[in-house]
């Protein structure tokens, strides 16, 4: 499903009007009628108790006037609070304000700070509030009386339906601009907005419903948004058929470099994630002292011991052994449980720069790269896929974790541009970006995944998909969604938390069964 940034949605609206000749008043009519229908469908009893529409001075407020009219025509008791003087409502919004006036719908103007206390009483006495104060164009912090109005709606104890986005929420980052409405439902126009599917916007939006406003499909083809929301339909489209005559050589060989004393579990989980993603072969390269432990843990993967330091971590002298292991490998996954000894970091930086096959770099490998990642990866001979959590992202960019979280998509896009790598910024609503600017937001996953080992499983899944020949952009989108979807299905059966990372991996074959296109089998019949 496509996701729109605020500027992209504005461009689509302009295209509908200027390129296809659809009047703005028609788009507004479609929007308002659609939201009114959702109110009647989802909140019939609340609406019967009276609806208060709060309309701000813009197109969002104009949508509110149309909503009020359609609710009025359906017999719903409705009143409108216009939050600006009449002259502030221009063009399509002004047209629909005049229709409200002539329709006899109760209308009051509340343009000053002194009007807020009275508005608070009417919010508390309504059965339902329609938030049509601010739309996607809001870019400044909400202060003064509008901040008080939003606080009033939140404190009224009544369900709120927000029009397009909850007022005060950034449509691009999902962060409140000072304060934002906490909606029970958000009825968004034409396409979901970025800020509605990332946190905390995802929570503030409540139930998300998309309203068809009549945008021509050709407008979307001419002006496609650069983002998508990953859902099951998108994942199915990415899965490739497996040839019926395939064998283990067909599906690629992955090398996993991972593990150190006390951290062999990370290496084992990465291997398990890889095996469950479907490559033909997996080899784990690890310090020589860890090899017997991993060989005992992993029946289906091969293991190889490499030169180690006195502390038992990979030594710089392991380079030649790693080069030998890379021969014939279609992909590489580096990082889980490697540790941060200087010799390990030296190896990782060299691998990141020189490994001849596509590589996933995770965990300790990302710390080894740090802010030097753009320089180290500049001349890499094959694609790289980086999988940081917010703390690792901060170390890669030099920003604080809070700065990363304030604009996750922007931070991930900038790192992808700077490094030339596909970036998977993990967390609630994981963000995936590629150097050309495309982005995806993951729609799967649940809080039970906030447990040790989940990232190691994901690293293995991504490496396994690369080994099967998936391009990094496709591997990242498919792997991230499948990882979260497997956890969602497991949580339904096992409970919301307490399940294990390896149990998530064990659910993956069920997904591949459901999603993999069936190869055409020859029909054999008797003569």
């Amino acid at each position: 499903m496509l996701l729109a940034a605020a500027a992209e949605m504005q461009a689509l609206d302009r295209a509908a009007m200027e390129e296809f000749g659809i009047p703005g008043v028609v788009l507004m009519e479609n929007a308002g009628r659609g939201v009114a229908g959702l109110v009647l469908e989802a909140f019939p009893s609340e609406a019967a108790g009276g609806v208060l529409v709060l309309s701000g001075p813009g197109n969002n407020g104009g949508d509110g006037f149309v909503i009020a009219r359609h609710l009025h025509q359906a017999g719903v008791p409705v009143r409108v609070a216009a939050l600006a003087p009449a002259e502030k409502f221009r063009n399509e919004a002004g047209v629909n304000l005049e229709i409200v006036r002539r329709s006899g719908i109760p209308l009051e103007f509340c343009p000053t700070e002194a009007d807020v206390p009275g508005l608070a009483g009417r919010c508390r006495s309504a059965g339902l509030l329609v938030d049509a104060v601010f739309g996607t164009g809001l870019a400044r912090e909400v202060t003064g009386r509008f901040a008080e109005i939003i606080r009033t709606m939140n404190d009224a104890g009544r369900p709120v339906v927000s029009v397009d986005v909850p007022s005060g929420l950034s449509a691009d980052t999902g962060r409140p601009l000072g304060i934002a409405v906490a909606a029970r439902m958000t009825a968004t126009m034409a396409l979901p907005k970025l800020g509605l599917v990332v946190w905390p916007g995802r929570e503030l939006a409540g139930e998300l419903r998309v309203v068809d406003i009549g945008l021509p499909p050709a407008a979307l083809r001419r002006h496609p948004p650069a983002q998508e929301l990953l859902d099951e339909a998108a994942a199915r489209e990415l899965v490739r058929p497996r040839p019926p005559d395939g064998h283990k050589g067909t599906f690629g060989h992955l090398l996993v470099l991972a593990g150190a004393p006390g951290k062999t579990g990370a290496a084992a989980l990465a291997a398990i994630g890889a095996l469950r993603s479907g490559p033909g072969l997996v080899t784990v390269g690890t310090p020589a002292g860890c090899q017997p432990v991993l060989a005992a843990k992993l029946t289906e993967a091969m293991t190889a011991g490499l030169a180690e330091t006195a502390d038992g971590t990979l030594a710089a002298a392991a380079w030649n052994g790693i080069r030998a292991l890379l021969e014939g490998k279609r992909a590489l996954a580096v990082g889980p449980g490697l540790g941060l000894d200087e010799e390990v970091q030296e190896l990782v930086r060299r691998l990141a720069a020189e490994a001849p096959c596509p590589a996933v770099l995770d965990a300790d490998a990302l710390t080894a790269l740090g802010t030097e990642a753009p320089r180290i990866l500049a001349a890499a001979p094959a694609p790289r896929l980086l999988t940081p959590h917010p703390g690792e992202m901060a170390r890669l960019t030099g920003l604080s974790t809070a700065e990363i979280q304030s604009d996750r998509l922007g931070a991930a896009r900038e790192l992808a541009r700077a490094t030339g790598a596909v970036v998977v910024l993990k967390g609630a609503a994981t963000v995936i970006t590629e150097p050309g600017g495309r982005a995806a937001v993951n729609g799967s996953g649940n809080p039970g995944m906030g447990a040790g080992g989940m990232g190691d499983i994901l690293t293995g899944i991504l490496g396994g998909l690369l080994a099967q020949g998936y391009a990094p952009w496709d591997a990242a989108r498919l792997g991230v969604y499948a990882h979260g979807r497997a956890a969602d299905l497991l949580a339904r059966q096992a409970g919301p938390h307490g399940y294990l990372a390896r149990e998530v991996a064990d659910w993956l074959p069920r997904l591949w069964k459901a999603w993999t296109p069936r190869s055409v089998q020859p029909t054999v019949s008797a003569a």
Side-chain angles (χ1 to χ4, degrees), residues 154-165:
N154 287 341
D155 292 345
R158 297 293 181 266
V160 179
V161 174
S162 285
V163 178
D164 217 7
V165 295

Side-chain angles (χ1 to χ4, degrees), residues 285-293 304-309 312-314:
T286 194
C290 297
Q291 188 270 337
V293 178
L306 295 164
E308 61 185 11
T309 66
T313 58
L314 283 180

Side-chain angles (χ1 to χ4, degrees), residues 62-91:
D63 292 341
F65 298 143
V66 179
I67 294 164
R69 171 163 49 86
H70 281 281
L71 292 176
H72 176 70
Q73 290 171 350
V76 172
V78 60
R79 62 188 303 139
V80 176
L83 305 180
E87 62 270 18
K88 292 289 186 180
F89 295 96
R90 303 185 180 94
N91 303 319

